[in-house]
PDB file of all heavy atoms in Angstrom:
ATOM      1  N   ARG A  98      -6.000   5.997  -4.219  1.00  0.00           N
ATOM      2  CA  ARG A  98      -6.838   5.253  -3.283  1.00  0.00           C
ATOM      3  C   ARG A  98      -7.930   6.096  -2.641  1.00  0.00           C
ATOM      4  O   ARG A  98      -9.002   5.577  -2.319  1.00  0.00           O
ATOM      5  CB  ARG A  98      -5.959   4.666  -2.164  1.00  0.00           C
ATOM      6  CG  ARG A  98      -4.970   3.621  -2.630  1.00  0.00           C
ATOM      7  CD  ARG A  98      -5.668   2.332  -3.029  1.00  0.00           C
ATOM      8  NE  ARG A  98      -6.619   1.897  -2.022  1.00  0.00           N
ATOM      9  CZ  ARG A  98      -6.277   1.321  -0.869  1.00  0.00           C
ATOM     10  NH1 ARG A  98      -5.008   1.105  -0.566  1.00  0.00           N
ATOM     11  NH2 ARG A  98      -7.217   0.926  -0.016  1.00  0.00           N
ATOM     12  N   ALA A  99      -7.654   7.384  -2.386  1.00  0.00           N
ATOM     13  CA  ALA A  99      -8.621   8.184  -1.631  1.00  0.00           C
ATOM     14  C   ALA A  99      -8.380   9.662  -1.856  1.00  0.00           C
ATOM     15  O   ALA A  99      -7.305  10.084  -2.311  1.00  0.00           O
ATOM     16  CB  ALA A  99      -8.554   7.859  -0.144  1.00  0.00           C
ATOM     17  N   LEU A 100      -9.383  10.438  -1.485  1.00  0.00           N
ATOM     18  CA  LEU A 100      -9.369  11.895  -1.602  1.00  0.00           C
ATOM     19  C   LEU A 100      -9.924  12.479  -0.317  1.00  0.00           C
ATOM     20  O   LEU A 100     -10.888  11.946   0.248  1.00  0.00           O
ATOM     21  CB  LEU A 100     -10.223  12.301  -2.800  1.00  0.00           C
ATOM     22  CG  LEU A 100     -10.541  13.761  -3.107  1.00  0.00           C
ATOM     23  CD1 LEU A 100     -10.899  13.887  -4.597  1.00  0.00           C
ATOM     24  CD2 LEU A 100     -11.697  14.303  -2.275  1.00  0.00           C
ATOM     25  N   SER A 101      -9.331  13.580   0.157  1.00  0.00           N
ATOM     26  CA  SER A 101      -9.857  14.273   1.337  1.00  0.00           C
ATOM     27  C   SER A 101      -9.753  15.767   1.119  1.00  0.00           C
ATOM     28  O   SER A 101      -8.870  16.248   0.390  1.00  0.00           O
ATOM     29  CB  SER A 101      -9.092  13.858   2.601  1.00  0.00           C
ATOM     30  OG  SER A 101      -9.697  14.412   3.759  1.00  0.00           O
ATOM     31  N   ILE A 102     -10.647  16.508   1.765  1.00  0.00           N
ATOM     32  CA  ILE A 102     -10.791  17.942   1.515  1.00  0.00           C
ATOM     33  C   ILE A 102     -10.503  18.742   2.781  1.00  0.00           C
ATOM     34  O   ILE A 102     -11.005  18.431   3.869  1.00  0.00           O
ATOM     35  CB  ILE A 102     -12.215  18.268   1.032  1.00  0.00           C
ATOM     36  CG1 ILE A 102     -12.497  17.572  -0.307  1.00  0.00           C
ATOM     37  CG2 ILE A 102     -12.421  19.778   0.896  1.00  0.00           C
ATOM     38  CD1 ILE A 102     -13.953  17.650  -0.725  1.00  0.00           C
ATOM     39  N   THR A 103      -9.703  19.794   2.616  1.00  0.00           N
ATOM     40  CA  THR A 103      -9.580  20.846   3.625  1.00  0.00           C
ATOM     41  C   THR A 103     -10.066  22.137   2.986  1.00  0.00           C
ATOM     42  O   THR A 103     -10.195  22.220   1.764  1.00  0.00           O
ATOM     43  CB  THR A 103      -8.145  20.971   4.153  1.00  0.00           C
ATOM     44  OG1 THR A 103      -8.116  21.919   5.230  1.00  0.00           O
ATOM     45  CG2 THR A 103      -7.172  21.417   3.074  1.00  0.00           C
ATOM     46  N   HIS A 104     -10.293  23.179   3.790  1.00  0.00           N
ATOM     47  CA  HIS A 104     -11.050  24.304   3.230  1.00  0.00           C
ATOM     48  C   HIS A 104     -11.029  25.512   4.148  1.00  0.00           C
ATOM     49  O   HIS A 104     -10.686  25.428   5.330  1.00  0.00           O
ATOM     50  CB  HIS A 104     -12.507  23.877   3.034  1.00  0.00           C
ATOM     51  CG  HIS A 104     -13.109  23.327   4.296  1.00  0.00           C
ATOM     52  ND1 HIS A 104     -13.765  24.112   5.213  1.00  0.00           N
ATOM     53  CD2 HIS A 104     -13.111  22.077   4.818  1.00  0.00           C
ATOM     54  CE1 HIS A 104     -14.150  23.368   6.232  1.00  0.00           C
ATOM     55  NE2 HIS A 104     -13.761  22.118   6.023  1.00  0.00           N
ATOM     56  N   GLN A 105     -11.439  26.644   3.564  1.00  0.00           N
ATOM     57  CA  GLN A 105     -11.672  27.852   4.364  1.00  0.00           C
ATOM     58  C   GLN A 105     -12.757  27.554   5.391  1.00  0.00           C
ATOM     59  O   GLN A 105     -13.766  26.919   5.098  1.00  0.00           O
ATOM     60  CB  GLN A 105     -12.080  29.013   3.476  1.00  0.00           C
ATOM     61  CG  GLN A 105     -13.292  28.758   2.590  1.00  0.00           C
ATOM     62  CD  GLN A 105     -13.769  30.017   1.875  1.00  0.00           C
ATOM     63  OE1 GLN A 105     -14.029  31.050   2.502  1.00  0.00           O
ATOM     64  NE2 GLN A 105     -13.904  29.927   0.561  1.00  0.00           N
ATOM     65  N   ARG A 106     -12.520  28.021   6.603  1.00  0.00           N
ATOM     66  CA  ARG A 106     -13.427  27.720   7.702  1.00  0.00           C
ATOM     67  C   ARG A 106     -14.452  28.841   7.902  1.00  0.00           C
ATOM     68  O   ARG A 106     -14.262  29.948   7.444  1.00  0.00           O
ATOM     69  CB  ARG A 106     -12.622  27.517   8.989  1.00  0.00           C
ATOM     70  CG  ARG A 106     -11.663  26.349   8.883  1.00  0.00           C
ATOM     71  CD  ARG A 106     -10.809  26.208  10.113  1.00  0.00           C
ATOM     72  NE  ARG A 106      -9.882  27.318  10.300  1.00  0.00           N
ATOM     73  CZ  ARG A 106      -8.957  27.369  11.249  1.00  0.00           C
ATOM     74  NH1 ARG A 106      -8.835  26.375  12.111  1.00  0.00           N
ATOM     75  NH2 ARG A 106      -8.144  28.396  11.355  1.00  0.00           N
ATOM     76  N   GLU A 107     -15.520  28.487   8.613  1.00  0.00           N
ATOM     77  CA  GLU A 107     -16.607  29.407   8.966  1.00  0.00           C
ATOM     78  C   GLU A 107     -17.464  29.844   7.784  1.00  0.00           C
ATOM     79  O   GLU A 107     -18.551  30.372   7.969  1.00  0.00           O
ATOM     80  CB  GLU A 107     -16.093  30.671   9.697  1.00  0.00           C
ATOM     81  CG  GLU A 107     -15.549  30.419  11.074  1.00  0.00           C
ATOM     82  CD  GLU A 107     -14.038  30.350  11.103  1.00  0.00           C
ATOM     83  OE1 GLU A 107     -13.404  30.657  10.072  1.00  0.00           O
ATOM     84  OE2 GLU A 107     -13.480  29.979  12.152  1.00  0.00           O
ATOM     85  N   SER A 108     -17.002  29.642   6.561  1.00  0.00           N
ATOM     86  CA  SER A 108     -17.777  30.022   5.383  1.00  0.00           C
ATOM     87  C   SER A 108     -18.879  28.992   5.147  1.00  0.00           C
ATOM     88  O   SER A 108     -18.683  27.800   5.373  1.00  0.00           O
ATOM     89  CB  SER A 108     -16.863  30.118   4.165  1.00  0.00           C
ATOM     90  OG  SER A 108     -15.847  31.082   4.380  1.00  0.00           O
ATOM     91  N   PHE A 109     -20.036  29.457   4.656  1.00  0.00           N
ATOM     92  CA  PHE A 109     -21.179  28.560   4.485  1.00  0.00           C
ATOM     93  C   PHE A 109     -22.074  29.057   3.361  1.00  0.00           C
ATOM     94  O   PHE A 109     -21.987  30.221   2.933  1.00  0.00           O
ATOM     95  CB  PHE A 109     -21.991  28.464   5.779  1.00  0.00           C
ATOM     96  CG  PHE A 109     -22.736  29.733   6.122  1.00  0.00           C
ATOM     97  CD1 PHE A 109     -24.086  29.871   5.825  1.00  0.00           C
ATOM     98  CD2 PHE A 109     -22.083  30.797   6.741  1.00  0.00           C
ATOM     99  CE1 PHE A 109     -24.779  31.043   6.127  1.00  0.00           C
ATOM    100  CE2 PHE A 109     -22.760  31.972   7.047  1.00  0.00           C
ATOM    101  CZ  PHE A 109     -24.107  32.097   6.742  1.00  0.00           C
TER     102      PHE A 109
END
Side-chain angles (χ1 to χ4, degrees):
R98 295 289 312 284
L100 173 158
S101 187
I102 297 170
T103 186
H104 54 90
Q105 56 172 306
R106 298 176 294 186
E107 292 100 8
S108 300
F109 70 99

